[in-house]
mmCIF file with all atom_site columns, all heavy atoms in Angstrom:
data_model
loop_
_atom_site.group_PDB
_atom_site.id
_atom_site.type_symbol
_atom_site.label_atom_id
_atom_site.label_alt_id
_atom_site.label_comp_id
_atom_site.label_asym_id
_atom_site.label_entity_id
_atom_site.label_seq_id
_atom_site.pdbx_PDB_ins_code
_atom_site.Cartn_x
_atom_site.Cartn_y
_atom_site.Cartn_z
_atom_site.occupancy
_atom_site.B_iso_or_equiv
_atom_site.pdbx_formal_charge
_atom_site.auth_seq_id
_atom_site.auth_comp_id
_atom_site.auth_asym_id
_atom_site.auth_atom_id
_atom_site.pdbx_PDB_model_num
ATOM 1  N N   . PHE O 1 158 ? 119.633 95.575  79.016 1.00 88.00 ? 160 PHE O N   1
ATOM 2  C CA  . PHE O 1 158 ? 120.768 96.439  79.322 1.00 88.00 ? 160 PHE O CA  1
ATOM 3  C C   . PHE O 1 158 ? 120.802 97.621  78.371 1.00 88.00 ? 160 PHE O C   1
ATOM 4  O O   . PHE O 1 158 ? 120.681 97.450  77.160 1.00 88.00 ? 160 PHE O O   1
ATOM 5  C CB  . PHE O 1 158 ? 122.085 95.663  79.200 1.00 88.00 ? 160 PHE O CB  1
ATOM 6  C CG  . PHE O 1 158 ? 122.260 94.575  80.206 1.00 88.00 ? 160 PHE O CG  1
ATOM 7  C CD1 . PHE O 1 158 ? 121.848 93.282  79.915 1.00 88.00 ? 160 PHE O CD1 1
ATOM 8  C CD2 . PHE O 1 158 ? 122.818 94.830  81.435 1.00 88.00 ? 160 PHE O CD2 1
ATOM 9  C CE1 . PHE O 1 158 ? 122.000 92.265  80.834 1.00 88.00 ? 160 PHE O CE1 1
ATOM 10 C CE2 . PHE O 1 158 ? 122.978 93.828  82.362 1.00 88.00 ? 160 PHE O CE2 1
ATOM 11 C CZ  . PHE O 1 158 ? 122.561 92.532  82.068 1.00 88.00 ? 160 PHE O CZ  1
ATOM 12 N N   . ASP O 1 159 ? 120.978 98.808  78.935 1.00 88.00 ? 161 ASP O N   1
ATOM 13 C CA  . ASP O 1 159 ? 121.229 100.004 78.136 1.00 88.00 ? 161 ASP O CA  1
ATOM 14 C C   . ASP O 1 159 ? 122.649 100.438 78.501 1.00 88.00 ? 161 ASP O C   1
ATOM 15 O O   . ASP O 1 159 ? 122.883 100.988 79.581 1.00 88.00 ? 161 ASP O O   1
ATOM 16 C CB  . ASP O 1 159 ? 120.213 101.091 78.469 1.00 88.00 ? 161 ASP O CB  1
ATOM 17 C CG  . ASP O 1 159 ? 120.449 102.361 77.665 1.00 88.00 ? 161 ASP O CG  1
ATOM 18 O OD1 . ASP O 1 159 ? 121.166 102.299 76.648 1.00 88.00 ? 161 ASP O OD1 1
ATOM 19 O OD2 . ASP O 1 159 ? 119.929 103.413 78.063 1.00 88.00 ? 161 ASP O OD2 1
ATOM 20 N N   . ALA O 1 160 ? 123.597 100.121 77.627 1.00 87.00 ? 162 ALA O N   1
ATOM 21 C CA  . ALA O 1 160 ? 125.016 100.330 77.933 1.00 87.00 ? 162 ALA O CA  1
ATOM 22 C C   . ALA O 1 160 ? 125.600 101.425 77.059 1.00 87.00 ? 162 ALA O C   1
ATOM 23 O O   . ALA O 1 160 ? 125.392 101.438 75.847 1.00 87.00 ? 162 ALA O O   1
ATOM 24 C CB  . ALA O 1 160 ? 125.787 99.033  77.728 1.00 87.00 ? 162 ALA O CB  1
ATOM 25 N N   . GLN O 1 161 ? 126.337 102.335 77.692 1.00 88.00 ? 163 GLN O N   1
ATOM 26 C CA  . GLN O 1 161 ? 127.015 103.426 76.992 1.00 88.00 ? 163 GLN O CA  1
ATOM 27 C C   . GLN O 1 161 ? 128.481 103.443 77.431 1.00 88.00 ? 163 GLN O C   1
ATOM 28 O O   . GLN O 1 161 ? 128.786 103.251 78.606 1.00 88.00 ? 163 GLN O O   1
ATOM 29 C CB  . GLN O 1 161 ? 126.372 104.775 77.335 1.00 88.00 ? 163 GLN O CB  1
ATOM 30 C CG  . GLN O 1 161 ? 124.876 104.833 77.102 1.00 88.00 ? 163 GLN O CG  1
ATOM 31 C CD  . GLN O 1 161 ? 124.499 104.691 75.644 1.00 88.00 ? 163 GLN O CD  1
ATOM 32 O OE1 . GLN O 1 161 ? 125.229 105.155 74.779 1.00 88.00 ? 163 GLN O OE1 1
ATOM 33 N NE2 . GLN O 1 161 ? 123.379 104.043 75.380 1.00 88.00 ? 163 GLN O NE2 1
ATOM 34 N N   . MET O 1 162 ? 129.384 103.706 76.471 1.00 88.00 ? 164 MET O N   1
ATOM 35 C CA  . MET O 1 162 ? 130.809 103.788 76.804 1.00 88.00 ? 164 MET O CA  1
ATOM 36 C C   . MET O 1 162 ? 131.109 105.127 77.482 1.00 88.00 ? 164 MET O C   1
ATOM 37 O O   . MET O 1 162 ? 130.693 106.166 77.009 1.00 88.00 ? 164 MET O O   1
ATOM 38 C CB  . MET O 1 162 ? 131.658 103.643 75.535 1.00 88.00 ? 164 MET O CB  1
ATOM 39 C CG  . MET O 1 162 ? 131.695 102.244 74.974 1.00 88.00 ? 164 MET O CG  1
ATOM 40 S SD  . MET O 1 162 ? 132.688 102.105 73.445 1.00 88.00 ? 164 MET O SD  1
ATOM 41 C CE  . MET O 1 162 ? 134.247 102.758 73.927 1.00 88.00 ? 164 MET O CE  1
ATOM 42 N N   . ARG O 1 163 ? 131.846 105.054 78.592 1.00 88.00 ? 165 ARG O N   1
ATOM 43 C CA  . ARG O 1 163 ? 132.299 106.272 79.273 1.00 88.00 ? 165 ARG O CA  1
ATOM 44 C C   . ARG O 1 163 ? 133.718 106.628 78.843 1.00 88.00 ? 165 ARG O C   1
ATOM 45 O O   . ARG O 1 163 ? 134.036 107.775 78.588 1.00 88.00 ? 165 ARG O O   1
ATOM 46 C CB  . ARG O 1 163 ? 132.281 106.076 80.781 1.00 88.00 ? 165 ARG O CB  1
ATOM 47 C CG  . ARG O 1 163 ? 130.918 106.131 81.418 1.00 88.00 ? 165 ARG O CG  1
ATOM 48 C CD  . ARG O 1 163 ? 131.039 106.004 82.919 1.00 88.00 ? 165 ARG O CD  1
ATOM 49 N NE  . ARG O 1 163 ? 129.742 106.107 83.572 1.00 88.00 ? 165 ARG O NE  1
ATOM 50 C CZ  . ARG O 1 163 ? 129.495 105.689 84.793 1.00 88.00 ? 165 ARG O CZ  1
ATOM 51 N NH1 . ARG O 1 163 ? 130.450 105.127 85.504 1.00 88.00 ? 165 ARG O NH1 1
ATOM 52 N NH2 . ARG O 1 163 ? 128.301 105.832 85.313 1.00 88.00 ? 165 ARG O NH2 1
ATOM 53 N N   . SER O 1 164 ? 134.580 105.607 78.844 1.00 88.00 ? 166 SER O N   1
ATOM 54 C CA  . SER O 1 164 ? 135.974 105.864 78.479 1.00 88.00 ? 166 SER O CA  1
ATOM 55 C C   . SER O 1 164 ? 136.612 104.581 77.966 1.00 88.00 ? 166 SER O C   1
ATOM 56 O O   . SER O 1 164 ? 136.090 103.489 78.169 1.00 88.00 ? 166 SER O O   1
ATOM 57 C CB  . SER O 1 164 ? 136.764 106.394 79.684 1.00 88.00 ? 166 SER O CB  1
ATOM 58 O OG  . SER O 1 164 ? 136.839 105.395 80.683 1.00 88.00 ? 166 SER O OG  1
ATOM 59 N N   . GLN O 1 165 ? 137.760 104.754 77.300 1.00 87.00 ? 167 GLN O N   1
ATOM 60 C CA  . GLN O 1 165 ? 138.489 103.619 76.735 1.00 87.00 ? 167 GLN O CA  1
ATOM 61 C C   . GLN O 1 165 ? 139.970 103.879 76.929 1.00 87.00 ? 167 GLN O C   1
ATOM 62 O O   . GLN O 1 165 ? 140.456 105.003 76.746 1.00 87.00 ? 167 GLN O O   1
ATOM 63 C CB  . GLN O 1 165 ? 138.152 103.477 75.252 1.00 87.00 ? 167 GLN O CB  1
ATOM 64 C CG  . GLN O 1 165 ? 138.983 102.463 74.527 1.00 87.00 ? 167 GLN O CG  1
ATOM 65 C CD  . GLN O 1 165 ? 138.732 102.478 73.026 1.00 87.00 ? 167 GLN O CD  1
ATOM 66 O OE1 . GLN O 1 165 ? 137.780 103.077 72.549 1.00 87.00 ? 167 GLN O OE1 1
ATOM 67 N NE2 . GLN O 1 165 ? 139.618 101.833 72.281 1.00 87.00 ? 167 GLN O NE2 1
ATOM 68 N N   . SER O 1 166 ? 140.689 102.826 77.309 1.00 87.00 ? 168 SER O N   1
ATOM 69 C CA  . SER O 1 166 ? 142.146 102.961 77.437 1.00 87.00 ? 168 SER O CA  1
ATOM 70 C C   . SER O 1 166 ? 142.801 101.665 76.972 1.00 87.00 ? 168 SER O C   1
ATOM 71 O O   . SER O 1 166 ? 142.176 100.602 76.984 1.00 87.00 ? 168 SER O O   1
ATOM 72 C CB  . SER O 1 166 ? 142.537 103.276 78.882 1.00 87.00 ? 168 SER O CB  1
ATOM 73 O OG  . SER O 1 166 ? 142.127 102.226 79.738 1.00 87.00 ? 168 SER O OG  1
#
Side-chain angles (χ1 to χ4, degrees):
F160 294 92
D161 179 17
Q163 306 295 326
M164 287 179 55
R165 284 183 178 161
S166 65
Q167 172 187 347
S168 61

